[in-house]
Amino acid sequence: MDRNQSALQELRFIMGLETHAQLKTKSKLFCNCINSVYANDLPPNTAICDVCLGMPGTKPRLNKKAVEIVLKIALALNCKINKEFFFSRKTYFYPDLAKNYQITQYEIPVGVKGYVKIHVNNKEKIIRIKRVHIEEDPAKIIHRKDYVLVDYNRSGVPLVEIVTEPDFNTPEEIRAYLNKIMQILEYIDAFDSSKGTFKSDLNISIEGIGERVEVKNITGIKEVEIAANYEIIRQKNIILRGGRIERETRRWDESKNITLSMRKKETEEDYGYIFEPDLPSIIISDEEIDTIKQSLPELPDVKIERLMREYNINRKLAESLASEKEIADLFERCVKREGISIKNASTWVGVVLRKILNYNNLLYRNSGVKDEWIIDVIKWYEEEKYNDYNTEMIMRKIFEDVLPPEEIIKKYGFKEKIRDESLREIVKKVIEKYPNAVQDYHSGKEKALEFLVGMVLKETKGSADPKLARKILLEILRNK
Ligand code: ZN
Ligand code: MN
């Protein structure tokens, strides 16, 4: 490693995030139009009205439910709540907001000074939340070759914007944070990741020597991590060539996975915020804050710690179980009400079910699968009715076909576990059928045994327990 490279290794990056999430409400933030993000396949420009089209003379009317959700979010992120807050207009000229300004919050947001805990490489880290505020989503702009299309369905959809302090040092921390935020939002029913999206602006600088670069509009979670990695390499290369990092705004090109320069030197003040005169100030009482606090469910961090303590399981397993509130509930129901052992419940729910959901890119809560179906399958496993392999296959098919286990078993013909005696008969048959393999085994070829085990499993169509098959095979072969 030459001197330049080792100097590069020393560079420390500091990063912060501004993340927008589309709130799970029935209607938009300032009108009665349906929240198109959470409605299915609306044709373009059908969830619109005079208000969200910014027609002259129209006035916004605040959706109280959206305010309540943002208060919940701010409290779940340990923020202090401002007891009086108001809205502002952020001026800009672009067809995605027909009013030519966005209604947002600037001076006094809903919540300030919160934090979330993340875990990266077995280490806990606190990420400070600077502010949490409400604003409206702009319309969707679709760029075509010679023209631009605008779909105003999204215009006015309620957003929460969550701004962190520059507390991230690595892209992995960013991913852990965004996953944690998404999880918290889903726990309190503020967001649904199967419909809504996360959109983040990333600011990144090299500690001590670089100016702040902002990368705008990165959709998703994985994508922010990729963008951060890209920027780190780009900025390191500039330093390596003896260049200087300038303050600028860049955009993320998700088709090429690169950041591109948009404009230099821009600050928030350049937007010319003014007070929104058409909306009243919101005043929140201590009682209201208390009521909302009481209504919050057990949040992920608390749940993970409790699961570890109460069931004596490790963090990884507890995190996997707590990944969705509904999965943790299923696990606890298995153990507390269904009498299933902690070991079987945590393996089948925390490991296998989790794996099946990941593979199918599915949330348990949206899967259509009933708790009872999974509970039956685990109980049958405990009764040794089905072996490991078939239990997992039945579960997989339950999620693929969204049918109860009885129907899955009938449909695919899953066989019950073969008990000792009948398995012994099958083993004897296989030994007679393959005398050469038996001879090979006796002359010391280990592979012959694997072959015979394989043949036994084939005969039983996978319903035998491989360990038991091997045990019986060895017994009979040794007595020959
Ligand atoms: Zn509208
Ligand atoms: Mn914003």
Side-chain angles (χ1 to χ4, degrees), residues 231-258:
E231 263 308 294
I232 286 175
I233 292 170
R234 190 187 70 85
Q235 295 193 15
K236 275 184 175 176
N237 281 336
I238 291 173
I239 299 294
L240 184 64
R241 288 196 299 266
R244 219 164 46 88
I245 314 286
E246 280 180 80
R247 176 164 191 140
E248 66 172 332
T249 302
R250 301 178 70 83
R251 72 180 174 86
W252 175 241
D253 184 329
E254 59 188 5
S255 60
K256 300 194 186 83
N257 275 0
I258 56 171

Side-chain angles (χ1 to χ4, degrees), residues 65-95:
K65 187 76 194 157
V67 177
E68 194 186 310
I69 293 177
V70 175
L71 279 163
K72 266 177 149 183
I73 293 171
L75 286 168
L77 300 179
N78 307 295
C79 287
K80 288 188 184 58
I81 303 299
N82 283 315
K83 293 210 192 107
E84 184 173 358
F85 51 80
F86 56 87
F87 292 88
S88 294
R89 296 178 174 182
K90 179 178 179 174
T91 313
Y92 73 95
F93 192 78
Y94 212 58

Side-chain angles (χ1 to χ4, degrees), residues 80-190:
K80 288 188 184 58
I81 303 299
N82 283 315
K83 293 210 192 107
E84 184 173 358
F85 51 80
F86 56 87
F87 292 88
S88 294
R89 296 178 174 182
K90 179 178 179 174
T91 313
Y92 73 95
F93 192 78
Y94 212 58
D96 63 7
L97 268 173
K99 302 190 293 292
N100 291 330
Y101 57 84
Q102 179 188 34
I103 302 180
T104 178
Q105 294 187 280
Y106 185 55
E107 291 88 346
I108 305 179
V110 172
V112 292
K113 291 187 178 154
Y115 67 89
V116 277
K117 287 183 200 165
I118 57 167
H119 285 86
V120 175
N121 301 326
N122 290 320
K123 266 202 234 126
E124 186 181 288
K125 182 169 178 174
I126 301 280
I127 303 297
R128 291 170 300 157
I129 305 288
K130 190 174 177 181
R131 56 186 278 145
V132 170
H133 73 246
I134 310 173
E135 64 184 35
E136 58 179 331
D137 212 355
K140 195 192 279 173
I141 292 198
I142 300 139
H143 292 268
R144 291 283 161 79
K145 195 165 168 279
D146 302 316
Y147 57 95
V148 161
L149 295 168
V150 191
D151 176 4
Y152 284 100
N153 282 351
R154 207 179 64 191
S155 182
V157 163
L159 297 178
V160 63
E161 179 171 335
I162 303 166
V163 182
T164 74
E165 296 289 350
D167 285 348
F168 303 102
N169 299 117
T170 67
E172 296 77 51
E173 290 173 3
I174 287 177
R175 189 188 48 193
Y177 163 82
L178 287 172
N179 280 325
K180 180 51 88 49
I181 294 286
M182 189 175 274
Q183 190 186 20
I184 293 171
L185 263 51
E186 289 194 322
Y187 261 61
I188 61 177
D189 211 26

